[in-house]
Amino acid sequence: RRAIEIRPRAKYYNDLGAAFFQSNLPLEAEKAYQKSVELDSDFAKAHWNLARLLSLRGDHERAKSHLFRALYLDPSLRRQISG
């Protein structure tokens, strides 16, 4: 967290969100992913991660919005959907 305070970067917040997600802390993960998207609205992986989290929480409308944005920014993410 110290690195984020010194130099806020979208990637750092995305990584923090992933750590929170892996630690079963979904609210903290959502905040971190959201901050990542705010810092860089073109960061596909952050949109992807936020969409995945929101979908798991049942917030499908918001998830869909972030999923579409992620796929628009990085079409290669489609492979993760189709397995």
Side-chain angles (χ1 to χ4, degrees), residues 15 42 69:
D15 291 348
D42 291 338
R69 181 73 177 154

Side-chain angles (χ1 to χ4, degrees), residues 21-62:
F21 185 80
Q22 290 296 319
S23 298
N24 200 30
L25 298 168
L27 295 177
E28 289 84 351
E30 181 179 351
K31 290 176 193 173
Y33 290 144
Q34 189 62 50
K35 183 66 175 179
S36 180
V37 167
E38 288 170 13
L39 288 170
D40 184 355
S41 63
D42 291 338
F43 189 18
K45 191 65 175 176
H47 282 285
W48 175 266
N49 288 333
L50 185 54
R52 188 172 61 140
L53 174 69
L54 292 170
S55 180
L56 289 171
R57 290 190 35 224
D59 190 345
H60 300 294
E61 285 304 310
R62 285 181 58 213

Side-chain angles (χ1 to χ4, degrees), residues 5-6 63 74 77:
E5 293 170 6
I6 294 170
D74 184 355
L77 290 171

Side-chain angles (χ1 to χ4, degrees), residues 59-78:
D59 190 345
H60 300 294
E61 285 304 310
R62 285 181 58 213
K64 187 168 39 172
S65 171
H66 287 285
L67 175 62
F68 288 155
R69 181 73 177 154
L71 293 174
Y72 171 78
L73 294 167
D74 184 355
S76 72
L77 290 171
R78 289 185 196 279

